[in-house]
Amino acid sequence: MSRGALTLDDVREAAARIAPHICRTPLMTSGSLDALAGGKLHFKCENFQHAGAFKARGAANAVFALDGESAARGVATHSSGNHGAALARAAALRGIPCEVVVPEGANPVKRAAIARYGAKIVDCPPTMQGRENALANAVAKSGARVVHPYADFAVMAGQGTVALEVFEAIAPDVLIVPLGGGGLLSGCATVARALSPKTKVIGVEPAGAADAQASFRSGEVRPVSEPRTIADGLRATIGRPNLDIIRERVDDIVTVTDDETVAAMRLAFERLKIVIEPSAAVGLAAVMNDAIVLDGRSAAIILTGGNADLDRLPWSINKEAV
């Protein structure tokens, strides 16, 4: 695994390593959504992935890349949900311990998944500092290897296998990737630049957590002190190594509002007949609201996960409660 720069070879090695532990997810299309979008849409359905999200790929790569001695000490991370569940699953598959620091108020569906896969949950305040302090304390006691949710080259390489599968099937004019900490976008952009240089790579993040767009333009990590978005998986601050890769290999970063995200999420339920979570809907929201204009071009949109709280679907509850 390279450390200076993520490469296509890293992603291909990850694909071979994790093949027994993940599933190849389908590309879906919808003529009615094409008509609304003004272009041909292909949806990469990581909501059908093990543990319900693309995070299964990066976590499996990080866990199964460990040598025996390191693995025996276990793994640990902080996560509001999908990465924690994915790491817990990967650790269970390898038969090693896992600890996950979970912030108060995390999505209950995702928290339950972390517990279901057998991880030890450590509660913490709902701030990045609270997460980091609790993780440091846990690791000091256990000696576990930290697997960062996104600023980890093994994780990035695993996430990049999403795009590897896309480009094995199609060569879209535009690749649209939801963006939180930047692990998925880093990996996917690496693959796109190597296999289809003409493909435009665009990241999408919530307007209420638009640290990545500001960081992309300035070259410096610019955190949002209090990110506010329904897309709980996209509240993270972009990682420094992720930003370096993204600035080199991504064409643009755009933002969408929560109202636009909720409308796109509902549209996916209605037209694709699938369950996605808010974080997975931002790419479709960007196309539907002209943050990304296709003008007849084709696009692959990564639907990152399906771990929605079905008791609190955002179009059926008071917005102030979200």
Side-chain angles (χ1 to χ4, degrees):
M1 176 65 60
S2 62
R3 287 297 181 267
L6 189 69
T7 70
L8 178 62
D9 284 345
D10 293 328
V11 179
R12 284 178 166 157
E13 289 173 9
R17 181 178 293 118
I18 68 178
H21 312 297
I22 60 105
C23 63
R24 187 182 185 91
T25 55
L27 279 169
M28 292 184 67
T29 59
S30 166
S32 66
L33 289 180
D34 291 349
L36 291 174
K40 182 65 177 178
L41 304 181
H42 302 265
F43 297 93
K44 181 62 170 168
C45 296
E46 286 295 291
N47 52 312
F48 296 150
Q49 186 56 258
H50 292 303
F54 76 96
K55 294 283 191 176
R57 297 172 182 266
N61 192 46
V63 166
F64 283 92
L66 291 174
D67 61 65
E69 182 179 350
S70 297
R73 294 195 294 270
V75 290
T77 195
H78 62 73
S79 171
S80 62
N82 284 339
H83 174 69
L87 190 67
R89 174 181 176 272
L93 289 172
R94 190 159 181 186
I96 63 175
C98 178
E99 292 179 276
V100 181
V101 171
V102 179
E104 297 167 1
N107 181 315
V109 173
K110 297 178 181 180
R111 181 187 174 95
I114 295 170
R116 187 166 65 249
Y117 286 117
K120 175 184 177 182
I121 293 178
V122 179
D123 293 306
C124 74
T127 64
M128 187 55 66
Q129 191 62 55
R131 289 186 184 207
E132 292 174 351
N133 289 345
L135 180 60
N137 290 338
V139 170
K141 295 176 184 177
S142 67
R145 171 71 67 90
V146 173
V147 179
H148 195 276
Y150 46 87
D152 180 299
F153 279 89
V155 169
M156 291 182 226
Q159 317 304 32
T161 63
V162 176
L164 201 61
E165 291 179 11
V166 169
F167 286 103
E168 287 171 356
I170 60 171
D173 297 312
V174 186
L175 178 65
I176 301 172
V177 185
L179 172 57
L184 179 63
L185 184 56
S186 298
C188 289
T190 296
V191 172
R193 284 291 162 260
L195 296 182
S196 183
K198 293 182 180 179
T199 296
K200 300 294 184 184
V201 181
I202 301 177
V204 186
E205 68 178 344
D211 62 287
Q213 187 184 69
S215 303
F216 180 74
R217 293 173 177 173
S218 70
E220 299 298 328
V221 175
R222 298 193 179 280
V224 173
S225 59
E226 294 184 12
R228 293 186 60 83
T229 175
I230 194 173
D232 60 294
L234 304 181
R235 292 172 185 156
T237 299
I238 192 168
R240 179 72 249 185
N242 309 91
L243 179 60
D244 291 342
I245 293 170
I246 288 167
R247 293 193 82 226
E248 178 187 350
R249 300 171 186 176
V250 170
D251 293 284
D252 198 10
I253 294 173
V254 302
T255 66
V256 293
T257 68
D258 273 5
D259 285 346
E260 291 167 344
T261 296
V262 170
M265 180 181 172
R266 181 166 183 161
L267 192 61
F269 274 51
E270 292 175 345
R271 303 296 177 93
L272 295 175
K273 313 302 181 188
I274 59 174
V275 174
I276 63 171
E277 60 191 89
S279 299
V282 297
L284 179 59
V287 171
M288 290 295 115
N289 293 280
D290 294 333
I292 300 171
V293 179
L294 294 181
D295 282 334
R297 295 178 296 169
S298 64
I301 301 176
I302 299 176
L303 301 179
T304 48
N307 293 317
D309 184 348
L310 299 182
D311 291 325
R312 289 173 56 84
L313 291 175
W315 50 82
S316 62
I317 62 173
N318 187 324
K319 290 182 182 178
E320 296 301 318
V322 175

